[in-house]
Amino acid sequence: MREVAWDKIVEAVAACCIEANCNLNPDVEEALRSAGESEITETGRSVLGCLLENACIAREERVAICQDTGMVVVFVTLGQEVHISGGLLTDAIDEGVRRGYAEGFLRKSVVDDPLLRRNTGDNTPAVIHLSLVAGDGLLIELSPKGFGSENMSALAMLKPSDGVEGVRRFVLDTVDKAGANPCPPIVIGVGLGGTMEKAALMAKHALLRPLDRHHPLPHLRELETGLLREINRLGIGPAGLGGKTTALGVHVESYPTHIAGLPVAVNISCHVTRHASVTL
Amino acid sequence: MAISIHTPLTEEVVRNLKAGEEVLISGILYTLRDAAHKRLIRCLDEGIPLPFDLAGQVIYYVGPCPAPPGKIIGSAGPTTSGRMDAYAPRLLDLGLKGMIGKGQRNEIVISAMKRNNAVYFGAIGGAAALIARSVLEEEVIAFPELGTEAVRRLLVRDFPAFVVIDAEGNDFYETGREAASAQLRQKGSP
């Protein structure tokens, strides 16, 4: 049994909150840069240029890339041989979020109740997903999710007869309806199969994958590249002002499902697609 | 080439702005988003004076980050305007001349804009650190208890934006997209 101290988790989560919000991931930055070279509209090129300049300012001045610093989603992969000493894992994560958002001058965007809507004042609680695995590792992947794009996400329980064509149509329709709202160029996570909540969770997790990596299975890789090509023909473009660069990537995750179902979840993420991770 | 405009906006300035034009806005902006809109509408319902006079003014849909030491304001990019569609027509009827945000507006807002000769500007979503540089002064003028959602008076210089919907109701999100997709179809782009 390996011991991991509660304080270590707090520190790591706080650092990840600041890192994810202030430092644009290199894969996203590279994708924005190369999109600028192939963008067909002048407005689109100008917007992509502004986004790169914005990322530089945020990195140099250590300020948030976007004012919507999100609700923190945390994927924890915990080895069964790890013991967390000094307190609960969930409390450590929330304490880390509290410190990170205070120390990083990040916006507090969480309300305590969806109907009563009082701001909690410290951006807690986080949304935590825990996987137990073999071994003594502890991986924390953190993704502060902004709601301009989250609000444009959708889920459908398709019929098996809808097949890949139904999936394709649902993803395209979701992106088409979202238009300028989710701050394009966007990244699209698609969860295929499982149950209703499993599909949604996979769609979210898919957003963590680096942009230059495809699904290892050929039929899903083909779905990803085909969807990206079609999305980038919609014309929505950077900031929704018209152009070729509507999406930077489409990532699919899949899971076995029921004989009667074909769940599809589409989680849209803005061009910042914040994430940071740490292994303790 | 961007057009420089100053707030408050005159009828003539608004009338001359056309969808698709790039603008640099200078002068006073008032920040307002979900919770403060709700409060403002309640003030109107109850006959309580508003914290600022709407006539000729421009509202910016934003909830900024806290200002780090030595800075005027934290990152401050636009939020999705569609959530304010329920409130906007009433404010436009009271003399509001401009709104800055991101994303589509509904038909009811567009017809209120046409009726009142008003304009909707789109700022670049996610360019929040860059946009914050155009803010010269910031002051909370109402509902401080709302935190990031409080009403702020901002003095800005050369705030970058696009005319998305003009006073005639032309929508650059639609026309810009149509033009781009026609070009992409023609190219048979890969």
Side-chain angles (χ1 to χ4, degrees), chain A residues 54 61 64 67 107 176 181, chain B residues 63 71 75 77 102 129-130 177:
Chain A
N54 184 70
E61 299 187 3
Q67 80 291 338
R107 194 179 82 181
D176 182 57
N181 287 2
Chain B
K71 293 222 177 266
S75 295
K102 63 161 169 108
L130 180 68
R177 182 175 167 177

Side-chain angles (χ1 to χ4, degrees), chain B residues 136-157:
Chain B
L136 305 179
E137 289 173 23
E138 180 254 16
E139 185 195 355
V140 172
I141 59 160
F143 319 133
E145 65 282 8
L146 294 180
T148 184
E149 296 204 68
V151 179
R152 292 171 164 80
R153 184 193 285 122
L154 305 183
L155 174 64
V156 299
R157 187 170 61 204

Side-chain angles (χ1 to χ4, degrees), chain A residues 40 43 51 53-54 57 61 64-67 105-107 176 179-181 183 229 232-236 239-243 271, chain B residues 33 63-67 69 71 75 77-78 102-104 125-130 133 148 162 172-173 176-177 180 184 187 189:
Chain A
I40 57 165
T43 313
L51 296 180
E53 190 187 346
N54 184 70
I57 297 171
E61 299 187 3
I65 301 163
C66 176
Q67 80 291 338
F105 295 90
L106 305 173
R107 194 179 82 181
D176 182 57
N181 287 2
C183 296
R229 196 165 47 232
N232 283 337
R233 278 191 197 137
L234 292 173
I236 296 169
L241 298 169
H271 57 78
Chain B
R33 50 170 296 153
C65 282
K71 293 222 177 266
S75 295
K102 63 161 169 108
Q104 294 95 327
L130 180 68
R133 287 193 163 179
T148 184
F162 294 87
F172 186 51
Y173 282 137
R177 182 175 167 177
L184 288 165
K187 272 186 154 183
S189 172

Side-chain angles (χ1 to χ4, degrees), chain A:
Chain A
M1 192 62 89
R2 188 170 73 92
E3 294 276 334
V4 175
W6 191 84
D7 294 349
K8 282 260 181 258
I9 299 172
V10 173
E11 281 166 28
V13 168
C16 278
C17 287
I18 296 172
E19 177 66 17
N21 274 299
C22 302
N23 198 358
L24 188 68
N25 282 84
D27 59 326
V28 179
E29 192 164 357
E30 182 46 42
L32 288 173
R33 189 164 289 127
S34 83
E37 287 160 16
S38 63
E39 179 50 60
I40 57 165
T41 67
E42 198 188 319
T43 313
R45 285 191 295 273
S46 152
V47 170
L48 291 169
C50 285
L51 296 180
L52 287 168
E53 190 187 346
N54 184 70
C56 275
I57 297 171
R59 186 173 293 134
E60 279 167 18
E61 299 187 3
R62 209 68 182 157
V63 294
I65 301 163
C66 176
Q67 80 291 338
D68 185 354
T69 50
M71 185 167 194
V72 181
V73 178
V74 187
F75 288 93
V76 182
T77 309
L78 179 67
Q80 291 199 122
E81 307 302 321
V82 175
H83 175 249
I84 291 154
S85 54
L88 287 176
L89 174 65
T90 50
D91 290 347
I93 291 171
D94 280 338
E95 181 58 24
V97 169
R98 198 171 283 124
R99 283 194 207 168
Y101 275 68
E103 287 164 16
F105 295 90
L106 305 173
R107 194 179 82 181
K108 288 79 181 171
S109 312
V110 175
V111 291
D112 64 344
D113 180 291
L115 297 177
L116 302 176
R117 310 197 71 82
R118 289 164 302 228
N119 197 306
T120 60
D122 58 9
N123 220 50
T124 67
V127 175
I128 302 166
H129 305 294
L130 175 66
S131 308
L132 278 178
V133 296
D136 65 356
L138 171 55
L139 170 68
I140 297 173
E141 294 170 291
L142 186 141
S143 160
K145 190 66 172 70
F147 261 53
S149 56
E150 190 74 355
N151 281 338
M152 295 295 111
S153 303
L155 183 136
M157 302 303 282
L158 300 181
K159 298 181 191 70
S161 63
D162 292 326
V164 70
E165 181 52 27
V167 171
R168 206 185 56 82
R169 231 179 306 120
F170 180 67
V171 175
L172 283 173
D173 192 42
T174 304
V175 173
D176 182 57
K177 275 192 206 144
N181 287 2
C183 296
I186 54 177
V187 179
I188 299 134
V190 180
L192 266 187
T195 48
M196 187 190 81
E197 85 289 359
K198 178 69 182 175
L201 198 54
M202 289 189 292
K204 175 78 71 204
H205 190 262
L207 295 171
L208 295 174
R209 197 200 303 163
L211 284 169
D212 50 8
R213 233 176 284 161
H214 283 290
H215 199 287
L217 293 174
H219 71 295
L220 295 180
R221 183 192 187 109
E222 202 179 306
L223 180 62
E224 289 176 345
T225 52
L227 275 170
L228 183 61
R229 196 165 47 232
E230 289 189 86
I231 287 165
N232 283 337
R233 278 191 197 137
L234 292 173
I236 296 169
L241 298 169
K244 180 186 172 187
T245 320
T246 299
L248 300 175
V250 179
H251 295 166
V252 178
E253 284 193 13
S254 77
Y255 194 79
T257 190
H258 190 277
I259 48 173
L262 175 49
V264 187
V266 180
N267 197 194
I268 298 185
S269 188
C270 64
H271 57 78
V272 183
T273 303
R274 285 161 277 243
H275 48 91
S277 64
V278 62
T279 304
L280 292 175

Side-chain angles (χ1 to χ4, degrees), chain B residues 5-18 54-58 91-98 112-119 121 166-168:
Chain B
I5 55 172
H6 293 264
T7 64
L9 300 177
T10 64
E11 299 287 350
E12 196 192 348
V13 165
V14 173
R15 209 172 295 119
N16 288 333
L17 291 170
K18 300 295 168 213
L54 288 166
Q57 299 301 339
V58 176
L91 304 185
L92 289 163
D93 286 340
L94 289 168
L96 179 68
K97 279 287 154 207
M113 287 171 57
K114 284 155 80 174
R115 182 167 71 234
N116 293 293
N117 186 44
V119 60
F121 302 101
D166 63 28
E168 289 174 359

